[in-house]
Amino acid sequence: MAAISSLSLKTPTKIQSLTKTHYAIPLNLPFSCRSKSKRTGSIGSRTRIRCGLLIEPDGGKLVELFVEESQRELKREDALKLPKIKLTKIDLEWVHVLSEGWASPLKGFMREDEFLQTLHFNSIRLEDGSVVNMSVPIVLAIDDSQKNLIGGSSSVALVDDENNPIAILSDIEIYKHNKEERIARTWGTTAPGLPYVDEAITHSGNWLIGGDLKVIDPVKYNDGLDRFRLSPAELRDEFTRRNADAVFAFQLRNPVHNGHALLMTDTRRRLLEMGYKNPVLLLHPLGGYTKADDVPLHWRMKQHEKVLEDGVLDPETTVVSIFPSPMHYAGPTEVQWHAKARINAGANFYIVGRDPAGMSHPLEKRDLYDADHGKKVLSMAPGLERLNILPFRVAAYDKTKNGMAFFDPSRPQDFIFISGTKMRTLAKTKESPPDGFMCPGGWKVLVEYYDSLDQAENGGVSETVPA
Amino acid sequence: MAAISSLSLKTPTKIQSLTKTHYAIPLNLPFSCRSKSKRTGSIGSRTRIRCGLLIEPDGGKLVELFVEESQRELKREDALKLPKIKLTKIDLEWVHVLSEGWASPLKGFMREDEFLQTLHFNSIRLEDGSVVNMSVPIVLAIDDSQKNLIGGSSSVALVDDENNPIAILSDIEIYKHNKEERIARTWGTTAPGLPYVDEAITHSGNWLIGGDLKVIDPVKYNDGLDRFRLSPAELRDEFTRRNADAVFAFQLRNPVHNGHALLMTDTRRRLLEMGYKNPVLLLHPLGGYTKADDVPLHWRMKQHEKVLEDGVLDPETTVVSIFPSPMHYAGPTEVQWHAKARINAGANFYIVGRDPAGMSHPLEKRDLYDADHGKKVLSMAPGLERLNILPFRVAAYDKTKNGMAFFDPSRPQDFIFISGTKMRTLAKTKESPPDGFMCPGGWKVLVEYYDSLDQAENGGVSETVPA
């Protein structure tokens, strides 16, 4: 922790303007570890990934849950004979998350013992006595009629809207879904209006079904963004290819402004000072379910692209990829999940901001969580001891520099704080933020997004997706 | 766990009638460890208790928080100069609990880092990296005016109703009391009507104050029962004096019937079979706050006394003592606290029943917790790995034996289940339970208790306390 403290206490340097502009997505690179593991792995086997100097996955192994390619047809036929559970959009996102090993060492949707440990301890004890972090329940709900349909079968097929089999869940266990308790222990409130609860829990079934998951075909969304959805194994390969000796992850679900960029650039500088030779940034926007007033993934990706094009971040030392998890907005509980999943992707440093995964209280005029609890809970969380937590330093608009800078409490009058709400209001009303708040290309994307919303409200296109 | 499984799977033997009738309270025995530690301990020191073969306290040391006797007057005078916090009845019970080391290694009311770990992880990581269980927040609430009164002082005096100083809290930390979050994460619900919440949280202050506690005089209630309130150190001494090589704890807050007695006797028999030479039972009724419809402590103690007098339990191998904690009724969360505190008192086996620390949902027609979750959560809880969990076997009235016996699923028609509610109803209406359900002396106490309630309702004495 000494290193972390010094990292957040030292004075900042000014952000450097960088000129390279291409997106740092290694799409055409050989993914030796991934390709190899997927080709040679048999059903039920786990693949041990050890790429260079990277942090080990939780449980020592990255658990990928794909049916071996040669077995896919066979499994598809098997699936057709099994009782079927139709997946919602969010269920499918969790299938995606589980299948790629973000939740390693989980082998499928949680059984009751994993669910209870998650709710009560935010962690799971493994057979060898070691503990891994697991703070958010990854569960599949079914209703009475589905439960009856399953009867005594020990396996079920998970199918999409059109009854295409996506995966098989075997050695199943069905147990009660106490929604109230799940919500209270995950969110620390049961107030109506929690987005994930409204979307995925309130109307879900009264039972949960856990078991071992095997995904027949890797989940794809065919939305033009699949190429940005690198799995943990692919990310590990990429970090290894770049000879990264430190990987620092930045989770985001908002447009990147120059304050973020300052933080990320400064973090790299400090890691270099600590003696690392090649720290690589994982800029990792969340790609699953988000609430209605968040900027949609497509627009955010377009905005991030512009930020890289404008040279605000160095593509040589930045990997931009999509984190496929849905968003809970569960503050200190969820930030642990965000951090833990990045360990599995090879990150050994995690940048945590003010009020991570937080939101306003649905009923009261206050934030749902204390803004400092996220980083405090994260720094004490069981199973995350190996991860270096980097607390976010507050950046604000410095009027004396006409740009974003770390806040200097000795001269508060020089700084303007531009909140997410303020930023959105400016973009909606087509006002410009102060020069240097965000690169012009990135800002333009935001304005376009809110424009498209206006058009939709006025009877135009419902949601224009940027190319 | 193999030993435990065999313990709960083997067939039961019939309970033996025992003839010794005295209460197993070792009041006049030399408590060498305790006396020594209290006399030689300086302020701020912790006393390491190692009595024979007993399980080590959490954190390796039993943390007693008493001011050294020679320093009491001095500290009392110091306290009079400090800002004063008036303790409620439940606050005082927690001061008692903390001072005797039931919550070892806690050194006082929780600071925020301990509070957050308790809420999120049900456990606390110590400086050496080891983990102790801690599932229930032990916190002290203050309101705005008290916070203002404290100002910049680093210590406060904790005083009783009449402003007598009870303890000093030093190196204090004041932080926000988010009641909704505390309740949701502790109880898994925020439904109105939770007894402890109504009694101790809803109307408490919006701040929590943590710090190092030093109690000036050991807490006494002067209710005729103080002699039954043995501290963890005293219990350890007693177990050592008896040459116990296993201590099995039974937490209760209800009258003891012959089903309980069967279980306890049978547990001892099985521990002997496992090779222990002298297993001792800690029969440990909870003595702090309980909800209005529970049988009050005085009546329960009288009932327990009759049960021992009637020879249902062997006083030679039974220690009856009062556990001073208040009751949360927080099910799987609270049962961990009940178990952890008994480790500190020297117990290495803990008997856990169906729906421990459970109650009805305050609003819905169901139990608040799944009846099996308590023992499941307990068996997986961080920091309790050293404790052997003994799941309660279901006992019921066996009509073929005219007595309580372990339920035999092959002949369900022979058994009658008599719930706590049923038992209370019978006692209230002065009906007799079946012969052999409870020893006659114990039943008589129960009937007397409900009689006294009737008298109170009809304008008689409000609560007759048995001698």
Side-chain angles (χ1 to χ4, degrees):
Chain A
M1 288 299 288
I4 296 163
S5 301
S6 72
L7 216 127
S8 57
L9 288 171
K10 286 185 186 174
T11 51
T13 52
K14 270 185 71 173
I15 185 162
Q16 289 181 325
S17 180
L18 299 159
T19 50
K20 291 183 182 162
T21 54
H22 63 89
Y23 223 16
I25 298 293
L27 289 171
N28 302 314
L29 298 164
F31 294 124
S32 54
C33 292
R34 186 254 187 136
S35 309
K36 196 176 155 196
S37 68
K38 283 198 180 156
R39 278 190 204 128
T40 59
S42 64
I43 296 170
S45 73
R46 300 190 202 166
T47 310
R48 189 163 193 106
I49 306 280
R50 280 186 180 276
C51 291
L53 297 169
L54 299 179
I55 190 171
E56 274 211 336
D58 266 354
K61 297 169 184 174
L62 192 69
V63 181
E64 292 193 326
L65 303 170
F66 298 108
V67 169
E68 203 183 338
E69 207 162 339
S70 64
Q71 299 283 311
R72 285 183 188 171
E73 278 316 308
L74 199 67
K75 286 290 159 188
R76 215 185 310 275
E77 283 165 33
D78 287 352
L80 291 171
K81 298 168 206 151
L82 294 173
K84 292 178 187 54
I85 303 293
K86 202 163 275 191
L87 298 173
T88 67
K89 194 159 174 274
I90 288 181
D91 292 338
L92 186 67
E93 289 170 0
W94 285 122
V95 168
H96 182 186
V97 164
L98 288 166
S99 70
E100 293 185 340
W102 297 96
S104 287
L106 278 197
K107 292 164 69 182
F109 285 104
M110 290 179 176
R111 296 190 177 89
E112 193 178 39
D113 61 347
E114 293 161 331
F115 177 64
L116 289 174
Q117 289 181 81
T118 300
L119 287 190
H120 287 274
F121 315 134
N122 287 3
S123 60
I124 292 175
R125 186 158 56 200
L126 306 184
E127 275 174 25
D128 67 1
S130 67
V131 167
V132 296
N133 191 270
M134 196 66 243
S135 61
V136 162
I138 302 182
V139 289
L140 184 59
I142 57 173
D143 60 22
D144 289 347
S145 68
Q146 287 170 309
K147 182 170 178 285
N148 290 337
L149 187 82
I150 293 165
S153 178
S154 67
S155 298
V156 297
L158 308 183
V159 302
D160 69 11
D161 265 353
E162 290 155 359
N163 279 324
N164 299 313
I166 302 295
I168 291 173
L169 200 63
S170 56
D171 287 330
I172 60 169
E173 180 187 302
I174 297 176
Y175 55 101
K176 279 187 215 141
H177 185 193
N178 185 329
K179 298 176 191 178
E180 180 188 51
E181 185 172 2
R182 174 183 173 192
I183 295 163
R185 296 198 192 279
T186 305
W187 279 271
T189 178
T190 57
L194 298 168
Y196 187 93
V197 171
D198 287 352
E199 183 74 23
I201 300 182
T202 306
H203 303 290
S204 69
N206 286 320
W207 302 95
L208 297 175
I209 180 170
D212 291 342
L213 183 76
K214 281 289 168 186
V215 173
I216 298 169
D217 294 297
V219 174
K220 297 292 170 202
Y221 301 83
N222 302 312
D223 57 356
L225 297 177
D226 282 330
R227 63 199 172 105
F228 298 126
R229 294 188 175 94
L230 275 67
S231 72
E234 288 167 331
L235 286 169
R236 286 177 168 267
D237 285 349
E238 179 57 20
F239 299 137
T240 302
R241 196 192 61 81
R242 296 199 189 199
N243 289 317
D245 59 353
V247 175
F248 57 111
F250 189 66
Q251 140 83 29
L252 73 171
R253 57 164 227 275
N254 276 310
V256 172
H257 58 60
N258 288 347
H260 298 128
L262 167 65
L263 180 82
M264 291 182 267
T265 309
D266 191 61
T267 301
R268 179 173 153 83
R269 190 185 59 77
R270 289 165 193 279
L271 289 172
L272 290 169
E273 277 179 11
M274 284 163 66
Y276 290 100
K277 300 297 176 210
N278 189 25
V280 170
L281 164 64
L282 171 59
L283 185 64
H284 216 190
L286 180 137
Y289 164 79
T290 50
K291 60 188 166 68
D293 61 346
D294 278 0
V295 179
L297 178 66
H298 286 90
W299 289 97
R300 282 186 280 131
M301 290 304 287
K302 192 173 180 185
Q303 196 269 352
H304 300 341
E305 194 169 18
K306 291 294 171 193
V307 167
L308 280 157
E309 275 179 21
D310 282 7
V312 178
L313 290 168
D314 181 2
E316 286 297 314
T317 57
T318 304
V319 174
V320 183
S321 180
I322 293 172
F323 176 48
S325 172
M327 190 76 201
H328 267 60
Y329 305 94
T333 301
E334 184 168 27
V335 70
Q336 297 171 66
W337 159 242
H338 287 173
K340 175 241 165 68
R342 272 55 177 242
I343 291 178
N344 283 331
N348 56 337
F349 287 87
Y350 186 83
I351 301 176
V352 59
R354 203 182 156 278
D355 199 16
M359 54 172 273
S360 298
H361 193 287
L363 300 178
E364 299 169 24
K365 279 202 171 178
R366 61 172 176 93
D367 286 335
L368 182 49
Y369 304 106
D370 183 301
D372 291 327
H373 280 187
K375 68 166 181 270
K376 285 181 185 170
V377 168
L378 191 58
S379 71
M380 300 187 289
L384 298 183
E385 297 83 358
R386 300 179 298 144
L387 187 67
N388 298 291
I389 310 298
L390 303 173
F392 209 107
R393 303 176 61 208
V394 177
Y397 189 79
D398 185 344
K399 291 184 282 185
T400 68
K401 294 180 180 169
N402 290 333
M404 297 298 281
F406 291 118
F407 178 69
D408 178 352
S410 72
R411 45 182 190 92
Q413 70 283 359
D414 292 343
F415 289 87
I416 304 172
F417 284 90
I418 300 172
S419 68
T421 309
K422 177 86 186 270
M423 179 178 78
R424 285 192 289 265
T425 307
L426 290 171
K428 273 180 203 170
T429 55
K430 287 178 203 165
E431 288 175 84
S432 290
D435 273 356
F437 170 72
M438 188 184 285
C439 66
W443 185 258
K444 198 161 160 275
V445 175
L446 261 194
V447 173
E448 276 171 30
Y449 164 61
Y450 285 104
D451 245 10
S452 77
L453 282 189
D454 282 349
Q455 283 174 27
E457 275 172 20
N458 298 328
V461 189
S462 68
E463 185 183 314
T464 314
V465 173
Chain B
M1 288 300 286
I4 297 163
S5 302
S6 72
L7 217 127
S8 56
L9 288 171
K10 286 186 185 173
T11 51
T13 52
K14 269 185 72 174
I15 185 163
Q16 291 181 323
S17 180
L18 298 159
T19 50
K20 291 182 184 165
T21 54
H22 63 88
Y23 224 16
I25 299 294
L27 289 171
N28 302 313
L29 299 165
F31 294 123
S32 56
C33 293
R34 187 255 186 135
S35 308
K36 195 175 155 197
S37 69
K38 283 199 180 158
R39 278 190 204 129
T40 59
S42 64
I43 297 169
S45 73
R46 299 190 203 168
T47 310
R48 189 165 191 105
I49 306 280
R50 280 187 180 276
C51 292
L53 298 169
L54 300 179
I55 189 172
E56 274 211 337
D58 267 355
K61 296 168 186 176
L62 192 69
V63 181
E64 292 193 327
L65 304 169
F66 298 109
V67 169
E68 201 183 339
E69 207 161 340
S70 65
Q71 299 283 311
R72 286 183 187 172
E73 278 315 307
L74 198 67
K75 286 291 160 188
R76 213 185 312 274
E77 283 167 32
D78 286 353
L80 290 171
K81 298 169 207 152
L82 294 173
K84 290 177 187 55
I85 304 293
K86 203 163 275 190
L87 298 173
T88 66
K89 194 160 172 274
I90 288 180
D91 291 338
L92 187 67
E93 289 170 0
W94 284 122
V95 168
H96 181 187
V97 164
L98 288 167
S99 70
E100 294 185 339
W102 297 96
S104 288
L106 278 196
K107 290 164 70 182
F109 285 103
M110 290 178 176
R111 296 189 177 90
E112 192 177 40
D113 60 347
E114 294 161 331
F115 177 63
L116 289 174
Q117 290 181 81
T118 299
L119 286 190
H120 287 274
F121 315 134
N122 288 3
S123 59
I124 292 175
R125 187 158 56 200
L126 307 183
E127 275 174 25
D128 67 1
S130 67
V131 167
V132 295
N133 190 270
M134 195 67 242
S135 61
V136 161
I138 302 183
V139 289
L140 184 60
I142 56 173
D143 60 22
D144 288 349
S145 67
Q146 287 170 310
K147 181 170 179 286
N148 291 337
L149 187 82
I150 294 165
S153 178
S154 66
S155 299
V156 296
L158 309 183
V159 302
D160 68 11
D161 265 353
E162 289 155 358
N163 278 324
N164 300 312
I166 302 293
I168 291 172
L169 200 64
S170 57
D171 288 330
I172 60 169
E173 180 187 302
I174 297 176
Y175 55 101
K176 279 186 217 143
H177 186 192
N178 185 330
K179 298 177 191 179
E180 181 188 51
E181 186 172 2
R182 174 183 173 191
I183 295 164
R185 295 197 193 280
T186 304
W187 279 270
T189 177
T190 58
L194 299 168
Y196 187 93
V197 171
D198 287 351
E199 182 74 22
I201 300 182
T202 306
H203 302 290
S204 70
N206 287 319
W207 303 95
L208 297 175
I209 179 170
D212 292 341
L213 183 75
K214 282 289 168 184
V215 173
I216 298 169
D217 294 297
V219 174
K220 297 293 169 200
Y221 301 83
N222 302 313
D223 57 357
L225 296 177
D226 282 330
R227 64 198 172 105
F228 297 124
R229 293 188 177 94
L230 275 68
S231 73
E234 288 167 331
L235 286 169
R236 285 174 169 268
D237 285 350
E238 178 58 19
F239 299 138
T240 302
R241 195 192 62 81
R242 296 198 188 199
N243 290 316
D245 59 353
V247 175
F248 57 112
F250 188 67
Q251 141 83 30
L252 73 171
R253 55 167 226 277
N254 276 311
V256 172
H257 58 60
N258 287 348
H260 298 128
L262 167 65
L263 180 82
M264 291 183 267
T265 309
D266 191 59
T267 301
R268 179 173 151 84
R269 189 184 61 76
R270 287 165 193 280
L271 290 172
L272 289 170
E273 278 180 12
M274 284 163 66
Y276 290 100
K277 300 298 174 209
N278 189 25
V280 170
L281 164 64
L282 172 59
L283 184 65
H284 216 190
L286 180 137
Y289 163 79
T290 51
K291 59 189 167 67
D293 62 347
D294 279 0
V295 179
L297 178 65
H298 286 89
W299 290 96
R300 281 186 280 130
M301 289 304 286
K302 193 175 178 184
Q303 196 268 352
H304 300 341
E305 194 169 18
K306 291 293 172 194
V307 167
L308 281 157
E309 276 179 20
D310 283 7
V312 178
L313 290 168
D314 181 2
E316 287 295 315
T317 57
T318 303
V319 174
V320 183
S321 181
I322 294 173
F323 176 48
S325 172
M327 190 75 201
H328 267 61
Y329 305 93
T333 301
E334 186 169 27
V335 71
Q336 298 171 66
W337 158 241
H338 288 172
K340 175 240 165 67
R342 272 54 177 241
I343 291 178
N344 283 331
N348 56 336
F349 287 87
Y350 185 83
I351 301 175
V352 60
R354 202 182 156 277
D355 199 17
M359 53 172 274
S360 297
H361 194 286
L363 299 179
E364 300 169 24
K365 279 202 172 179
R366 62 172 175 92
D367 286 335
L368 183 49
Y369 304 106
D370 183 300
D372 291 327
H373 280 187
K375 67 167 182 270
K376 285 181 184 169
V377 167
L378 192 59
S379 71
M380 300 186 289
L384 298 183
E385 297 82 359
R386 300 179 298 144
L387 187 67
N388 297 291
I389 310 298
L390 304 175
F392 209 108
R393 302 176 63 207
V394 178
Y397 189 79
D398 185 343
K399 291 184 283 184
T400 67
K401 293 180 180 169
N402 290 332
M404 297 299 282
F406 290 117
F407 178 68
D408 179 352
S410 73
R411 47 183 188 91
Q413 71 284 359
D414 293 342
F415 289 86
I416 305 173
F417 285 90
I418 300 172
S419 68
T421 309
K422 178 86 186 272
M423 178 177 78
R424 285 191 289 266
T425 307
L426 288 173
K428 272 180 204 170
T429 54
K430 287 179 205 164
E431 287 176 83
S432 290
D435 273 356
F437 171 72
M438 188 184 285
C439 65
W443 185 258
K444 197 159 161 275
V445 175
L446 263 193
V447 173
E448 275 172 30
Y449 164 61
Y450 285 105
D451 245 10
S452 77
L453 282 189
D454 283 348
Q455 284 173 28
E457 274 173 20
N458 298 329
V461 188
S462 67
E463 185 183 312
T464 314
V465 173

